[in-house]
Amino acid sequence: MVKEKVILAYSGGLDTSVIVPWLKENYDYEVIAVAVNVGQNEDFKAIEEKAYLTGASKFYLINKVDEFVEEYIFPTLKAGAIYENKYLLGTSMARPVIGKALVEVAHIEGAKYIAHGATGKGNDQVRFELAIKALDPSLKIIAPWRIWDIKSREEEIEYLEKNGISLPFHKKSPYSRDENLFHVSHEGFDLESPSKEPNYENILQWVKTLEAANEKSEYITIEFVKGVPIAINGEKMSGVEIIKQLNKIGGNHGIGVLDMVENRLVGMKSRGIYETPGGTILFFAHEELERLCLDKDTYQEKIKLSHDFSKLVYNGQWFTTLRKAITAFVDVTQEFVTGEVKLKLYKGNIILAGTTSPFTLYSEEYSTFEKDSVYNQQDAEGFINLFGLPIKIEALLRKKNSFQY
């Protein structure tokens, strides 16, 4: 009898390593492990070996780094989407592309089930499952952390030993971390108390502390075409290369560290430390270029829609009509967002040092405080009279019709 197949989102960590034999014991399924490369610093060969040692019948390594950048990070950058005005959505953007890879392998293998190791208290379970539902609603989802009796790391190790599996799991960091090309996050342990100052020397992976950051400032110039970064200091690069380079540059200057208490989708607040050096620089530069190139109404409307976009990404609703519609609007706004942004980086600070664009809407001739021949200041009187007419009428009528009790 041919066994049913289940596709497991596999990281090689303790949780997903336990899930492999657990699925086989409780469902008697053939387990196919899938690791998705979104730019995390991992030994994928070791992950593959671990998958087979825990009982997986097959292992897939799906490279989604370029797709992650071009189809998820850059559309979010162009939208200027920042969740609750702070979080640059590093984990949130990666989850739909991972979910898409799982569905692709499920189709290749003819599997009817997808399993993941996300907990029942977090956002990732929602993000994975909404992506799967959107791309193939016929697939069934298994979430072990919502149904099994295992409660601790010690119980997980005991379960593996009971199943004859002995693996060298390195001493676990006290922090729960997620890493991809765009960012690395840190949660748990002492960070669970918002009253405690983070010990950044023990936490940070990519970014230097302000004390250790470069003592000398650095200037960089980023070139954009239609809202997409294409070059640093005149050197053309791929999107992946640009983010890697800016991660290194920003990290050396202590840029891109965020301490945030955020509102999770499932209803509770959580506190995390996020390192997003390259992303922080890109979002800053892109916004400054938009200030130069977009008209007032478009720019201000885009700001409002960016909040909606950020919530959709955070909540796992990437594959929705509304997200696609906002992206279509954003793409129109980016038609003339082309130019260069010069930045000064120093001790955690990004300082604007100049913007240029062939499509600038800034006119020195009109904006000057010196003598000009294009603007008639007397025109302002009529404008103010018309613009202020509702205010004037209300004030007159309120005064006319007022009476004392």
Side-chain angles (χ1 to χ4, degrees):
M1 181 178 177
V2 178
K3 290 185 178 182
E4 294 275 20
K5 298 178 180 179
V6 57
I7 306 302
L8 171 63
Y10 189 74
S11 68
L14 181 57
D15 290 351
T16 53
S17 294
V18 172
I19 290 174
V20 175
W22 184 88
L23 287 170
K24 295 175 71 175
E25 177 184 350
N26 289 274
Y27 293 89
D28 194 28
Y29 291 158
E30 177 186 350
V31 180
I32 298 168
V34 178
V36 184
N37 182 3
V38 284
Q40 65 271 42
N41 183 24
E42 295 280 5
D43 182 348
F44 289 108
K45 186 62 180 177
I47 290 174
E48 179 180 3
E49 292 172 358
K50 198 174 290 185
Y52 285 121
L53 286 171
T54 54
S57 64
K58 285 185 181 181
F59 175 83
Y60 283 82
L61 174 59
I62 308 298
N63 190 330
K64 290 284 188 180
V65 182
D66 290 323
E67 182 177 337
F68 178 41
V69 172
E70 301 295 334
E71 298 184 23
Y72 297 82
I73 293 177
F74 283 171
T76 304
L77 169 66
K78 290 192 292 183
I82 302 174
Y83 183 68
E84 295 187 337
N85 291 329
K86 290 190 77 173
Y87 173 42
L88 296 180
L89 298 164
T91 296
S92 311
M93 291 186 292
R95 295 321 189 212
V97 72
I98 293 172
K100 181 182 177 185
L102 298 174
V103 172
E104 289 170 352
V105 176
H107 290 168
I108 292 170
E109 289 290 336
K112 297 179 181 178
Y113 303 91
I114 291 179
H116 63 76
T119 74
K121 295 181 71 174
N123 299 310
D124 284 342
Q125 58 181 336
V126 181
R127 295 164 181 159
F128 284 136
E129 295 182 30
L130 291 191
I132 294 164
K133 291 177 186 296
L135 298 171
D136 187 346
S138 71
L139 290 168
K140 296 178 177 61
I141 297 166
I142 302 173
W145 272 107
R146 299 205 294 253
I147 54 180
W148 67 13
D149 296 325
I150 298 173
K151 302 299 181 185
S152 68
R153 180 178 176 83
E154 290 71 25
E155 290 182 12
E156 288 182 306
I157 293 174
E158 288 175 8
Y159 183 85
L160 287 177
E161 291 175 347
K162 186 184 74 173
N163 284 271
I165 301 169
S166 178
L167 289 173
F169 286 99
H170 301 296
K171 184 178 179 182
K172 183 177 174 63
S173 164
Y175 301 103
S176 173
R177 288 191 168 107
D178 176 74
E179 182 185 74
N180 58 50
L181 178 72
F182 195 67
H183 90 155
V184 56
S185 65
H186 317 267
E187 293 180 314
F189 193 47
D190 56 340
L191 297 178
E192 292 185 349
S193 174
S195 65
K196 293 182 178 179
E197 179 183 7
N199 185 341
Y200 287 118
E201 288 186 358
N202 292 339
I203 294 173
L204 299 181
Q205 306 284 296
W206 292 2
V207 181
K208 292 181 179 180
T209 63
L210 292 180
E211 294 78 7
N214 289 5
E215 292 295 334
K216 187 177 180 180
S217 64
E218 179 177 358
Y219 286 91
I220 63 170
T221 299
I222 303 173
E223 182 181 354
F224 292 82
V225 172
K226 294 188 176 182
V228 174
I230 66 161
I232 300 174
N233 295 333
E235 182 181 352
K236 296 287 195 298
M237 301 180 186
S238 70
V240 172
E241 291 170 335
I242 283 174
I243 293 174
K244 285 182 176 180
Q245 182 74 0
L246 291 178
N247 280 341
K248 182 178 179 180
I249 294 171
N252 286 335
H253 289 282
I255 288 168
V257 178
L258 172 66
D259 181 354
M260 179 180 183
V261 174
E262 70 194 59
N263 290 299
R264 281 184 180 174
L265 172 60
V266 294
M268 68 190 75
K269 290 184 183 291
S270 65
R271 189 223 193 159
I273 303 296
Y274 297 102
E275 297 177 69
T276 322
T280 301
I281 294 170
L282 283 175
F283 269 77
F284 183 98
H286 178 262
E287 181 178 16
E288 293 303 328
L289 186 58
E290 284 190 323
R291 292 180 188 278
L292 195 68
C293 298
L294 295 185
D295 66 90
K296 180 182 73 172
D297 290 339
T298 300
Y299 179 73
Q300 293 179 357
E301 188 65 30
K302 185 173 175 291
I303 289 175
K304 291 187 286 185
L305 286 175
S306 72
H307 292 293
D308 295 331
F309 193 103
S310 72
K311 287 190 291 184
L312 291 170
V313 178
Y314 187 86
N315 293 343
Q317 296 169 290
W318 184 271
F319 299 108
T320 61
T321 299
L322 179 55
R323 198 282 305 166
K324 295 173 185 175
I326 296 177
T327 294
F329 165 83
V330 168
D331 285 343
V332 172
T333 70
Q334 300 301 290
E335 183 178 358
F336 299 110
V337 182
T338 293
E340 294 185 346
V341 183
K342 186 178 181 180
L343 304 170
K344 180 181 181 180
L345 310 178
Y346 181 66
K347 291 286 186 180
N349 293 292
I350 307 173
I351 303 161
L352 183 63
T355 53
T356 59
S357 171
F359 304 111
T360 179
L361 294 181
Y362 183 89
S363 170
E364 292 185 34
E365 190 177 15
Y366 275 91
S367 299
T368 181
F369 283 96
E370 304 301 325
K371 182 179 179 181
D372 70 82
S373 59
V374 296
Y375 186 85
N376 185 351
Q377 296 198 29
Q378 292 180 343
D379 290 344
E381 181 178 357
F383 166 75
I384 295 170
N385 287 336
L386 291 177
F387 187 69
L389 186 59
I391 297 173
K392 179 179 179 179
I393 291 174
E394 180 179 12
L396 289 171
L397 292 179
R398 290 285 180 265
K399 183 176 181 180
K400 177 181 178 181
N401 296 328
S402 64
F403 58 88
Q404 300 293 327
Y405 285 100

